[in-house]
Amino acid sequence: MSDWNDKIIDEFRANGGQVGGQFAGAPLLLLHTIGAKSGEPRVHPMMYQKMDGGYAVFASKGGAPTNPDWYYNLLAHPQVRAEIGTDKVKLVPRVATGTERERIWSAQKAAYPGFADYERKTSRQIPVVVLEPAP
């Protein structure tokens, strides 16, 4: 997975935030976290949904039965950064719940049906994380 992510990260940075392949035309960001256990810096390419005052990301892990490691990194170290296009921003994550989560998640599934496939593949509720500008 690391080599695959490294290729996407390199392409993202070389092309001002644009990549080809399965992510061609999709909104993609690079989320910088600190490892929950290791304390090491990590970079995670992922799709996002632009929202008023922030961004939503989705802990889908392709429909795996467990949440991705980056999700636990956010919970352990809630000060993060993201590369969005050529911008670098400091953000604070929060997990969306209730009707807010449902509204964001439904919009993501409608725009990118692969997310509905991920939901069908797992019994867990896929976390929706809202990233808001750090104060």
Side-chain angles (χ1 to χ4, degrees), residues 27-98:
L28 194 71
L29 60 75
L30 302 181
L31 184 66
H32 294 251
T33 66
I34 301 296
K37 294 179 184 174
S38 70
E40 296 293 319
R42 306 281 187 225
V43 180
H44 316 275
M46 63 186 67
M47 288 179 63
Y48 71 91
Q49 183 184 130
K50 179 76 173 112
M51 301 176 44
D52 287 338
Y55 311 89
V57 293
F58 310 90
S60 62
K61 197 176 178 182
T66 60
N67 292 322
D69 291 344
W70 65 258
Y71 176 76
Y72 298 107
N73 295 350
L74 292 177
L75 298 178
H77 303 283
Q79 297 293 323
V80 300
R81 294 181 301 118
E83 296 175 56
I84 303 168
T86 57
D87 294 331
K88 295 179 182 175
V89 295
K90 292 181 180 180
L91 301 162
V92 177
R94 64 177 175 80
V95 178
T97 60

